[in-house]
Amino acid sequence: MNLQQYVSEILEEVKENGVDAVKKYSKQFDNYDGDFTLKDEEWDIDEQISTEDKEIIDKIIERLQIYHSKQLKEDIFYSNDYGSKYGLIQRPINRIGIYVPGGKPLPSSLLMVAVPAKIAGVREIAITSSPKDGKINPYIIYIAKVLGIKEVYKIGGIQAIAAMSYGIGMKKVDKIYGPGNQYVNEAKRQVFGEVGIDSLAGPSEICVIADETANKEYVLNDLLSQLEHGHESKSFLVTTSKEIYDFCDQEGVERYLYGTIEECADKTNEIAPEHLEIITKEPEKVVPLIQNAGAIYLGEYTPVPSADYFLGVNHVLPTGKAARFSSVLNVSDFIKQISIAKVTREELLKERYLGIRLAEVEGMNQHKRSMEVRE
């Protein structure tokens, strides 16, 4: 049975059999057959996290809030010479689900999704995560408490995506966010349309553009950092320095040597990396040459891991060349834009010939009549 069929059958079973199916797969995959929701005492994790760690998380949240709050957009309204009014209004998604991998807990992923969601004004947030030994990672619970999120569910894997999508054991969500393994990704792909999804994240990627001024130790360690995510992760060096090219001859690092920075930029745009570091004499001057990258980090002191954890920029990025057409997760991903118009009689009667003719071209007679009938 292939992956697509395997995931489809589990989704369908959960849809048909509800909570019983979720419990079946939770026991099978997570060795857990208890309640999905947290008991009151399970929210009390103060003694499980040090004061220092709480302060660190609080500071990271503050940095994320500062960066993402600047992304909020105002509604747009304008009037034309006829006195008609047009605009674009912003409305937050009402309810979202955040999937947080539980096998190797990733509280940073929760932070990167939940903080901009709260800033956008999302009213309801449900977190799902696989329990380990029957428990949710205390850092996930702490972040939920700090951000005022009251729903955390002990559900992981395909069954978690199904539960959020179909409203099994919880209220149905409108859109699902968060990374997962190939099974979770396939489940997200299949439920798209039933709910919205953020993206289908692939293996982590890093590309470093470096010239002869770059510190070779910095470059190599940054290239190796993303390979830590797993054997499918990708690491690219694009350089004008033979010394750095030779120094970074390591397993897993794909290297390219060019004569000019312009050629390096062209290759980088072809790669369209998730993360791009530019470590050159004047990195800002390279930025205009870059068209395709999930995120750009400039200079020797902006390594990707710093952005992954504490800078405040978002680390949920397009992978697998999707940077050609996709963007970093930001506040707008949690907001719907709705067009609005109020047209005066004068404008409709004078300009409706435009729409009438197009309706004629398309053979849409009732569309035409709708515009013609008004006096």
Side-chain angles (χ1 to χ4, degrees):
M1 185 184 301
N2 62 31
L3 174 64
Q4 182 177 345
Q5 183 180 357
Y6 179 75
V7 171
S8 176
E9 290 186 2
I10 293 178
L11 291 174
E12 190 62 31
E13 185 175 348
V14 173
K15 189 174 184 179
E16 289 182 1
N17 298 330
V19 171
D20 288 341
V22 175
K23 287 184 175 180
K24 169 186 170 181
Y25 288 109
S26 291
K27 183 172 180 58
Q28 180 177 332
F29 297 129
D30 297 324
N31 194 31
Y32 179 75
D33 59 0
D35 293 335
F36 299 145
T37 56
L38 299 186
K39 297 181 175 65
D40 290 344
E41 59 267 24
E42 292 181 285
W43 285 93
D44 186 11
I45 42 76
D46 286 348
E47 294 184 2
Q48 299 178 50
I49 303 176
S50 69
T51 300
E52 180 182 9
D53 280 355
K54 291 176 186 174
E55 291 174 351
I56 285 172
I57 291 173
D58 292 348
K59 183 63 176 178
I60 292 172
I61 289 174
E62 180 183 356
R63 293 178 67 98
L64 284 162
Q65 289 171 331
I66 291 170
Y67 180 80
H68 288 85
S69 64
K70 299 183 185 302
Q71 299 171 7
L72 285 169
K73 298 178 182 179
E74 295 183 354
D75 293 344
I76 299 170
F77 287 102
Y78 71 91
S79 298
N80 63 12
D81 293 341
Y82 293 104
S84 298
K85 297 178 181 179
Y86 295 89
L88 195 68
I89 59 176
Q90 323 286 324
R91 295 291 183 268
I93 296 172
N94 183 61
R95 178 174 173 80
I96 70 167
I98 304 177
Y99 183 88
V100 184
K104 187 177 183 180
L106 298 175
S108 63
S109 293
L110 174 58
L111 288 167
M112 295 291 166
V113 177
V115 171
K118 296 291 289 188
I119 289 172
V122 174
R123 296 174 182 84
E124 299 176 16
I125 299 176
I127 299 169
T128 63
S129 188
S130 297
K132 187 174 183 179
D133 298 325
K135 298 179 180 179
I136 294 291
N137 182 274
Y139 288 86
I140 292 173
I141 297 174
Y142 179 75
I143 292 167
K145 290 177 68 173
V146 171
L147 295 177
I149 299 171
K150 302 184 184 303
E151 294 181 62
V152 179
Y153 297 93
K154 298 179 181 180
I155 315 174
I158 301 167
Q159 64 271 24
I161 302 302
M164 289 189 281
S165 301
Y166 306 133
I168 308 297
M170 68 180 75
K171 183 180 174 183
K172 177 179 178 177
V173 305
D174 298 312
K175 189 172 180 179
I176 296 173
Y177 302 77
N181 60 23
Q182 60 178 337
Y183 299 99
V184 169
N185 260 356
E186 177 60 22
K188 287 170 67 177
R189 188 189 69 79
Q190 291 191 27
V191 299
F192 177 67
E194 183 77 34
V195 293
I197 62 171
D198 53 353
S199 64
L200 299 175
S204 185
E205 306 159 357
I206 183 174
C207 178
V208 178
I209 296 178
D211 65 11
E212 68 282 353
T213 68
N215 183 310
K216 59 188 179 184
E217 290 281 355
Y218 296 174
V219 172
L220 178 58
N221 280 279
D222 292 355
L223 289 167
L224 296 178
S225 70
Q226 294 308 297
L227 296 180
E228 193 171 33
H229 283 286
H231 69 278
E232 293 184 338
S233 298
K234 299 178 181 179
S235 184
F236 302 93
L237 170 66
V238 188
T239 183
T240 57
S241 168
K242 182 65 164 60
E243 181 182 1
I244 291 177
Y245 178 88
D246 291 339
F247 186 77
C248 294
D249 183 10
Q250 295 278 337
E251 182 180 356
V253 177
E254 194 169 321
R255 298 171 299 151
Y256 299 92
L257 181 61
Y258 292 104
T260 67
I261 287 295
E262 288 74 16
E263 290 174 299
C264 291
D266 288 344
K267 182 61 181 179
T268 299
N269 286 326
E270 178 187 324
I271 294 169
E274 176 189 17
H275 308 93
L276 171 62
E277 290 184 6
I278 303 176
I279 307 179
T280 60
K281 184 178 181 181
E282 296 179 296
E284 289 87 351
K285 290 187 176 180
V286 183
V287 174
L289 303 176
I290 303 302
Q291 299 299 320
N292 302 327
I296 300 174
Y297 310 103
L298 304 178
E300 291 188 336
Y301 297 100
T302 321
V304 169
S306 67
D308 283 344
Y309 291 123
F310 78 90
L311 295 187
V313 297
N314 209 287
H315 80 203
V316 181
L317 303 166
T319 60
K321 293 185 179 290
R324 293 171 297 133
F325 52 81
S326 297
S327 305
V328 59
L329 187 77
N330 60 82
V331 169
S332 67
D333 288 291
F334 302 90
I335 292 176
K336 303 168 295 178
Q337 295 183 322
I338 305 169
S339 63
I340 188 168
K342 182 182 180 183
V343 180
T344 62
R345 178 177 182 272
E346 180 186 4
E347 180 174 11
L348 181 67
L349 297 185
K350 187 171 182 179
E351 303 290 347
R352 65 183 174 183
Y353 75 94
L354 301 167
I356 288 171
R357 179 57 191 144
L358 202 54
E360 290 173 345
V361 169
E362 295 186 347
M364 305 292 278
N365 293 327
Q366 192 57 54
H367 281 62
K368 175 183 175 182
R369 180 64 179 156
S370 173
M371 291 178 279
E372 285 181 329
V373 73
R374 286 170 165 76
E375 298 178 354

